[in-house]
Amino acid sequence: MPAASPILAALMMIVCCAFIAASTFFAKMLGTGAVGEAMHPFQIVFGRYFFALAALAPFFIAMRLSLRGAPLRLYGARAICGTGAVTGLFAAATLIPLAEATAISFLNPVFAMILAIFFLGERVGPVRWVAAAIALTGGLILIRPGTAALQIGALIALGAALLMAGEIIFAKLLSRTEGVVRMLVLTNLIAVSFATLASIFIWRAPTLLEWGLLAAVGVTMVTAQALFMATIKISDASFATPFLYGTLIFAAAYDFIWFGVVPAPVAFAGAAMIVAGAVLLALREARAHRAPRPPAPGAP
């Protein structure tokens, strides 16, 4: 890897984080009625997938990719989880500070680790369980169960994180046979179909500004996905992934600049624990992938 690549990769990931946070921020603007009448999360999710698909379509056509032979059941399952997760995250962002909703969504690697035990047959060692415990404790701090401060929005964000974990599992299964561009296009195509059906019953005509923000929700997210994929081509995924937690900084900044929201100290503590656990889990995963595998029986 060239000497300049780590610096370039770090800058690309910082921009990626800015785009991820921006996507949820634009969704919050629409969902809270900051630019007009509050928009239903189903309609915002439609915009997220429709405009993401529109941005991907030229690349799909230029590469002359075929949809023939695609495992549609796996794609459908991934799209269902993804659509539910995005809907939950956008809904949560209208009820609690953006940084808190984002932090809780970062529990998805922990849930994915647990699901992988049952669906992928993966083994989980003590370090990963410790990392999961740290992150889940942070989640409990943010949700504050059993107290008057129990946040419904945080519970919705927790459900979204669980659905994101399911999406990760199906993505892992698909990645065994599917290319990245085809995965992105087919997932967005199926998801926009689900989102269209869900939004028919609550649809209202968006204003020109709202159409612009709906487009921004989709384009910023697909741009972030493209940046992440480009980054892991010039650096290790173990180097790039921890940068994703910088999304919290941008989420908090956007929330403060536009809505004047300042996260409470307890929110900082919970978010820090979630990030610490998730980063520890990511580093342990990277180390496990780099570790040499024992030779097969009878191998020289």
Side-chain angles (χ1 to χ4, degrees):
M1 186 169 58
S5 291
I7 297 175
L8 177 60
L11 290 174
M12 290 171 66
M13 285 306 301
I14 291 171
V15 177
C16 175
C17 291
F19 276 110
I20 293 173
S23 181
T24 312
F25 170 68
F26 292 137
K28 179 171 182 173
M29 290 181 69
L30 289 164
T32 55
V35 292
E37 182 185 349
M39 185 175 288
H40 195 284
F42 285 159
Q43 192 168 351
I44 302 171
V45 171
F46 166 82
R48 180 258 183 266
Y49 283 110
F50 176 81
F51 286 104
L53 183 63
L56 286 167
F59 298 97
F60 186 81
I61 295 170
M63 296 173 70
R64 298 182 178 179
L65 296 175
S66 172
L67 301 182
R68 187 176 300 170
L72 294 180
R73 288 184 179 179
L74 283 178
Y75 273 110
R78 186 191 179 197
I80 289 172
C81 288
T83 306
V86 172
T87 303
L89 180 59
F90 288 173
T94 66
L95 299 172
I96 60 176
L98 190 59
E100 291 188 31
T102 303
I104 294 171
S105 75
F106 286 152
L107 286 170
N108 71 83
V110 176
F111 293 142
M113 179 198 80
I114 296 171
L115 291 177
I117 298 172
F118 301 100
F119 293 99
L120 302 178
E122 294 184 2
R123 294 184 176 181
V124 177
V127 175
R128 293 179 186 177
W129 281 119
V130 169
I134 293 172
L136 288 172
T137 301
L140 289 174
I141 290 174
L142 286 177
I143 297 169
R144 300 191 276 282
T147 70
L150 172 64
Q151 302 190 66
I152 300 302
L155 289 175
I156 295 174
L158 188 66
L162 185 56
L163 287 170
M164 286 179 196
E167 185 182 16
I168 290 171
I169 296 299
F170 290 117
K172 284 185 177 182
L173 291 171
L174 284 166
S175 66
R176 295 173 178 175
T177 58
E178 298 291 289
V180 171
V181 176
R182 189 160 99 154
M183 282 178 62
L184 285 174
V185 170
L186 256 179
T187 300
N188 280 280
L189 179 61
I190 297 172
V192 79
S193 302
F194 292 150
T196 299
L197 291 173
S199 62
I200 285 175
F201 304 100
I202 49 81
W203 185 268
R204 67 169 179 80
T207 64
L208 185 61
L209 176 57
E210 288 172 333
W211 273 120
L213 287 174
L214 285 171
V217 171
V219 172
T220 50
M221 182 53 71
V222 81
T223 302
Q225 291 173 331
L227 278 168
F228 180 73
M229 289 187 293
T231 303
I232 61 177
K233 283 187 177 181
I234 65 170
S235 68
D236 294 333
S238 59
F239 173 84
T241 301
F243 279 92
L244 286 173
Y245 301 106
T247 304
L248 278 172
I249 298 173
F250 288 99
Y254 297 157
D255 226 10
F256 174 73
I257 293 170
W258 188 267
F259 294 101
V261 174
V262 179
V266 68
F268 282 113
M273 291 192 72
I274 290 174
V275 171
V279 169
L280 178 59
L281 183 60
L283 294 175
R284 182 64 186 86
E285 292 282 350
R287 183 179 177 184
H289 283 296
R290 287 197 301 265
R293 295 182 178 181

